Amino acid sequence: MKPDIGYIENIAGPVIKAGGLPSARMYEVVRVGKEQLIGEVIEVGEHFCIIQCYEETSGIAPGEPVAATGDTLSVELGPGLLGAIYDGLQRPLPELKEISGDFISRGLTVEGLDKEKKWKFTPVVKVGANVVPGDIIGEVPETGIITSKIMIPRGIEGEIVEIVAKGEHTVVETICKVKDMHNTVHEVIMMQKTPVRIGRAFKERVAFDTPLLTGQRVIDTFMPLAKGGTGGIPGGFGTGKTVTLHQFAKWADAQVVVYVGCGERGNEMTEALEEWPKLNDPQSGKPLMDRTVLIANTSNMPVAAREASIYVGVTIAEYFRDQGFDVALMADSTSRWAEALREISGRLGQLPSEEGYPAYLGSRLAQFYERGGRVKPLGSDDRLGSITICGAVSPPGGDFSEPVTQATLRIVKVFWALDKDLAARRFFPAINVLTSYSLYHITLEQWHKENLGPDWPELVRDSLALLQKDQELREIVQLVGPDALPESERAVLEAARMIKEDFLTQSALHEIDTYCPIGKTYRMLRTIVKFSRQMAAAVKLGVSVRRILEFSVLDSIARMKTIPWDSYEGTIDAIDDRIDREFQSLFTEPDGSGVLMPGVVE
Amino acid sequence: MTKESSIVYRTVSDVRGPLLIVKHTHNVGYNEVVKIRSPSGEMLTGTVLETGRGKAVIQVFEGTRGLDADKTAVRFTGDTLKLPVSTEILGRVLDGSGNPLDKGPPLTAEDHRDINGSPINPYARQYPRQPIQTGLSVIDGLNTLVRGQKLPIFSGSGLPHNRIAAQIVRQAEIPGEKSDFAIVFAAMGITATEAQFFMNSFEETGALEHTALFLNLANDPAIERIITPRAALTAAEYLAYEADLHVLVILTDMTNYAEALREISAARSEVPGRRGYPCYLYTDFSMIYERAGRIRGRKGTVTQMPILSMPQDDMTHPIPDLSGYITEGQMIVARDLHRRGIYPPIDPGPSLSRLMKEGIGKGMTRFDHKELQAQLYYGYSEGRDFRDLVTVVGAEALTDRDQKYLAFADRFEQEFINQGDHENRSFEETLDLGWNLLSEFPERELKRCDTKTIGWARERGVYAYS
């Protein structure tokens, strides 16, 4: 069928009204103007349809042609995604640079996957096998970390009549032929093309049971995320959203990371591009970029493509989930995406709801987060895959009552509240432990008890209680001064100070402290809680807090953060012993005779 | 692009605020430049905001005063707004659209560049890493500026942001490197006195011949402010990426720019966002701010220092707020420090330089910079907390430790932040000064510093707690 050619009727920024396209369908991709800019139909009327254009429209004039393509916005999936950096429409940025230089011009068409590159394909099924969509027929070692699985695409089912031997193939060569029940033979290639606006199908959702470890103490301890879960991180500018998400992308124990930089700074993407290939994944020891897909649609790139970038990212994540991987998707920032919705909606003259955002903001956000989860993908085996979604939210003025934050909080199960005051004190990560929450504590309790220690829930509860008590006491101190507090409460303040200074703060810039294995997190917390319990007990017996603060072990506790990842056990054991000894010494004569010495009581 | 349209239209149907609506147009391009002749013969310029078959909406930069629906003649040029660029632009004084205001010849052109620019491919960027020494301790020590950064000054009326900006321009250098630099100065709606202050300051240091000035002053047409920063940045990009210069762009005052944008938006009856500013203010700002940076394989850089005044010192106002989300940090000029006579009154708490982490440390400034910065921050914010407490309970209620922090905060403001208009401190001086102030504290209080670093500072003789 020959595609329709229509004409431009009206142009206002990225919104174009076109006529002469009677068969235009919603979300169909069109080519706009003589330069063939990419656009998408977002409204269909009797005579005209409305198109949002993914590229700058300066100089385009009414009367220029608009060509329908019959396709919806799709991504190419297959070997070659990992380590790539794309714009919001899955155009590889390095190729764009080759074509148009250091600045991005418009009307460029570059496909997402390299069609020339040959990949080492190893079949895992034999001729005669029966396959259904989602079944794995072969493997491709894509990077040092990930071996991609090649799956039967949707709509193909039957008997394998031909499959290539182990060897090198491009993503568009036929590698397998499947004969269906009507004796029709289907050719299978490695690449799949999937529309981005609907989720890829799977068999069923599965309950969560494993945490997504981020290597960030405050998160792994107080607001853990489950593999397949969703989390939102709202915060005003300068509170560290991007640093936190970058830390997730670098250290989270997901197998594949998709990072969507949506309407944010160009230099932040450059930082990731320059730094991540040099960093090694702590699990595999291979460069981080080998497990990462970057999508960069910076704030000055066209606003409509920003809207699409989130869907492009999550579709790529689903492709890896379907192969049976645990995927983490970071979206920085969903507010910019919401603003893109608002801008387009405003130009369409739609009736605005709260703060000018369209009425469908909440449902669009929910649809996006719902694409996360832990599932059994299609296929005859029972492999599991998950997508964990972390979205940054940039509330205007840091005010969490605004629509995007509120709509996000209704959906996500983990809320990391960034605090401007903490950031101003350079207390990083500036996450307010008392206002943040995670609804996965109970889900994950079993895992924590088995893998860390049965006392984990208690340690978390106790330390949280200390922080809560600290907050209350500090309000009193503001009124009456610290002198008015009894010793036992001063001990609480000191214990809370230890948790905050020696445990919660974590430097993203320090080569060791930037990542904290969960085992070390557990040991550090246990030691600090142990100290605080002994301090409380000693104070009860009449020892002054001031005396306890002279303990030399405190210096070692403060420097636990920088103990190497692989040798913390012994060092922390020694600290635990010293805590016991130093508290013991309070009640012992200098000659070690073991008599309670009332002299230490001031 | 439609080049053939030399037709003159006399079909103006509406004149509304800064907008002109022309009927019966044919093939007018979006964003195209329009020349308008008013009934009195004056030539005006505008661009197309919306175009359809038979209708175009035009924003007129000079304002629509004197235009009518009868005699006004409109010609579409078939081209988007372009600026003639060459290195000759240095030393020139131009109006807000880039036309010469001085007695000099018309601008020579090595190229004509679209003033809207194109986004830099993030893959082509190079991460900014070279620290700039501004000679101001509060910036260099705590929030270092880096070449290719966009670091705005958030200020308020009556605060000395212009003095600070002028001092930075005077003193900024990369230690040990004599390189070619240029200044592009874009004034949007500031007063003639303020513009004169900057010009005098540039002249005093001999920087004027390296400076291109784009002046849209308070009495110039407001709508023209929409193109002033774009024209200035087009010149800056040319100077940086073609002529290999390190360009510092000063944009002042972005608040006036945003107000011009709001005026257009209101005239078009668009759905307003917060405080009546258009919904696309963030995107629009980013098209300006993101034009700072560094590109792999090119020598020059564009560093931006926008100045904006926060209405009622309110940082949550949409203009500072949206700017802060795009720029790589911010310098906050604080009224309380200013009242206490501290210059430059930059409050370290909410101020931030996002790019400093890569630009400081060994091989950049000095190896101890990161730890020292963290420690100074800790000490100053502790001290400020106790200051609040003292007003309630009195200084006697504090412990020795707390008293020390209280005293530290005072000395920090008086000796570290405070400095003279012509006092130019090197990185070394700033960092040593920081250690000096920390000498009040015993080693175990300095938890943000490594014991080895403290030992080094002691040996150097700058940290001397005993």
Side-chain angles (χ1 to χ4, degrees), chain A residues 90-118:
Chain A
Q90 211 209 4
R91 295 183 300 185
L93 289 176
E95 267 86 280
L96 286 183
K97 180 173 182 261
E98 232 151 68
I99 300 174
S100 76
D102 296 335
F103 296 86
I104 298 177
S105 52
R106 59 186 189 182
L108 306 172
T109 312
V110 188
E111 288 173 329
L113 292 181
D114 186 343
K115 307 286 158 40
E116 310 287 315
K117 183 163 179 179
K118 291 200 181 255

Side-chain angles (χ1 to χ4, degrees), chain A residues 7-14 34-35 56-64 85 93-94 96-97 101-106 235-239 241-243 263-271 273-275 278 296 298-303 306 336 339 342-343 346-347 349-350 352 355-356 393-398 420 423-428 477-483 490 497-498 501-502 505 509-510 546 549-552 554-555 558-559 561, chain B residues 1-2 27-32 49-53 55 80 114 116-129 142-143 148-150 154 237 241 268 270-274 278-280 282-283 286-287 290-296 298 315-316 320-330 348-355 357-358 370 373-374 377-378 381-382 385 388-389 392-393 396-399 401-402 443-444 446-451 454:
Chain A
Y7 57 89
I8 298 176
E9 176 71 24
N10 192 55
I11 305 165
K34 292 176 196 151
E35 291 179 67
E56 215 339 269
T57 49
S58 286
I60 307 291
E64 288 190 34
I85 171 162
L93 289 176
L96 286 183
K97 180 173 182 261
D102 296 335
F103 296 86
I104 298 177
S105 52
R106 59 186 189 182
F237 61 83
T239 49
K241 286 182 302 296
T242 302
V243 175
E264 289 284 311
R265 303 177 182 88
N267 274 333
E268 283 169 0
M269 298 315 294
T270 309
E271 182 186 9
L273 274 173
E274 289 185 10
E275 187 189 27
K278 290 185 210 143
T298 56
S299 53
N300 55 341
M301 283 153 82
V303 67
R306 193 194 295 170
R336 305 297 163 229
E339 278 165 15
R342 176 168 73 179
E343 190 171 333
R347 302 234 191 215
Q350 290 171 343
E355 294 205 11
V393 185
S394 320
K420 219 166 193 149
R425 306 174 59 106
R426 299 301 188 264
F427 185 103
F428 286 120
V477 169
Q478 286 296 323
L479 290 175
V480 297
D483 272 355
R490 287 190 164 199
R497 189 193 328 241
M498 281 175 74
E501 288 295 321
D502 304 340
T505 51
L509 307 177
H510 190 282
R546 193 168 296 183
L549 291 182
E550 284 164 10
F551 284 1
S552 65
L554 283 171
D555 284 344
R559 303 199 192 272
K561 293 175 185 175
Chain B
M1 223 164 268
T2 47
N27 284 359
V28 168
Y30 175 68
N31 238 343
E32 193 173 305
L49 283 181
E50 188 177 333
T51 167
R53 305 220 306 173
K55 182 189 162 190
T80 50
D114 188 328
N116 290 306
S118 300
I120 303 179
N121 187 331
Y123 185 76
R125 280 183 188 269
Q126 187 171 18
Y127 198 73
R129 284 203 175 80
L142 301 178
N143 285 301
Q149 186 173 15
K150 38 191 181 291
F154 288 6
E237 279 175 351
Y241 303 134
R268 297 183 66 194
E270 289 173 337
V271 178
R274 279 197 304 153
C279 288
Y280 47 82
Y282 175 84
T283 306
S286 74
M287 312 276 267
E290 279 289 330
R291 289 173 81 175
R294 213 177 146 197
I295 293 180
R296 255 187 291 152
R298 304 205 193 204
M315 231 219 294
T316 64
D321 188 52
L322 295 178
S323 297
Y325 275 119
I326 307 165
T327 55
E328 283 139 353
Q330 64 278 335
S351 297
L352 173 72
S353 163
R354 289 166 187 273
L355 301 186
K357 60 182 194 294
E358 294 276 326
K370 284 181 196 176
Q373 184 243 15
Y377 254 107
Y378 178 82
S381 53
E382 281 282 294
D385 284 356
D388 296 340
L389 189 56
V392 184
V393 298
E396 300 74 31
L398 297 185
T399 63
R401 172 188 178 274
D402 302 351
E443 265 189 60
R444 60 184 306 183
L446 308 183
K447 284 190 185 175
R448 302 281 206 269
C449 296
D450 201 90
T451 37
I454 302 173

Side-chain angles (χ1 to χ4, degrees), chain B residues 253-274:
Chain B
D253 176 328
M254 288 301 287
T255 305
N256 296 332
Y257 167 82
E259 272 167 11
L261 210 59
R262 177 164 71 175
E263 196 180 328
I264 295 280
S265 173
R268 297 183 66 194
S269 345
E270 289 173 337
V271 178
R274 279 197 304 153

Side-chain angles (χ1 to χ4, degrees), chain A residues 55 121 137 178 202 422 456 471 474 516 572 579:
Chain A
E55 299 181 74
F121 174 81
I137 54 168
V178 177
F202 53 82
L422 290 177
W456 173 262
Q471 163 133 332
R474 270 139 62 82
C516 190
I572 297 183
I579 293 176

